């Protein structure tokens, strides 16, 4: 009888873990396919609908990363003064053959301390 309860409890735990994993994967919007759906001239609101909320919002750049610290993919989307997409960049140091730059993407940007602050932060 206790063996049945343990087995049933184990099955419930596995079901809950599987459901959590499925929800986690469903919420992941930073995919190569979604990145490729972002086009030049697209408004910032549409970019956010496709890729989700960025990890960092700067005045002219949104930066996306995945939540898994082992996944080093970094995506930047660049905007003009009218908040229209003027460039985008996909970086993956583990798979450099996947790297992609399109249109107005700075050659190099300071990773920190460049004076640019995320929107709404002082």
């Amino acid at each position: 009888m206790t063996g049945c309860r343990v087995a049933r409890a184990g099955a419930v735990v596995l079901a809950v873990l599987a459901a959590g994993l499925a929800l986690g994967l469903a919420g992941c919007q930073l995919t190569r396919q979604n990145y490729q759906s972002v086009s030049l001239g697209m408004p910032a609101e549409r970019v956010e609908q496709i890729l989700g909320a960025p990890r960092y919002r700067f005045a002219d750049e949104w930066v996306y990363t995945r939540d898994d610290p082992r996944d080093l993919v970094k995506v930047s989307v660049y905007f003009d003064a009218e908040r229209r997409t003027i460039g985008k960049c996909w970086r993956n140091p583990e798979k450099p053959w996947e790297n992609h730059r399109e249109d107005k993407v700075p050659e190099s940007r300071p990773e920190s301390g460049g004076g640019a602050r995320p929107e709404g932060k002082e």
Side-chain angles (χ1 to χ4, degrees):
M1 191 91 145
T2 42
C4 288
R5 285 184 185 165
V6 170
R8 206 174 294 145
V12 169
V13 168
L14 285 176
V16 169
L17 289 175
L21 178 61
L23 284 174
L25 292 175
C28 181
Q29 296 183 65
L30 183 55
T31 64
R32 186 65 180 218
Q33 183 177 1
N34 285 350
Y35 166 80
Q36 290 172 329
S37 297
V38 172
S39 59
L40 299 177
M42 184 176 283
E45 296 79 26
R46 181 70 182 126
V47 172
E48 191 163 6
Q49 287 174 350
I50 293 171
L51 295 177
R55 185 165 304 272
Y56 304 104
R57 287 180 199 251
F58 298 98
D60 63 343
E61 176 186 13
W62 287 0
V63 178
Y64 292 86
T65 60
R66 294 190 177 129
D67 290 331
D68 184 348
R70 297 168 294 177
D71 189 335
L72 302 177
V73 169
K74 177 181 173 189
V75 168
S76 294
V77 181
Y78 300 92
F79 300 98
D80 63 12
E82 287 82 39
R83 307 300 293 155
R84 299 249 174 221
T85 303
I86 59 170
K88 63 182 184 174
C89 183
W90 175 284
R91 295 179 201 92
N92 185 350
E94 292 184 325
K95 299 178 184 175
W97 57 88
E98 288 184 354
N99 291 350
H100 177 263
R101 301 164 67 88
E102 186 173 335
D103 213 29
K104 296 181 180 166
V105 176
E107 283 300 317
S108 65
R109 291 181 73 95
E111 293 297 322
S112 63
R117 291 192 173 105
E119 293 177 358
K121 308 248 177 171
E122 292 298 321

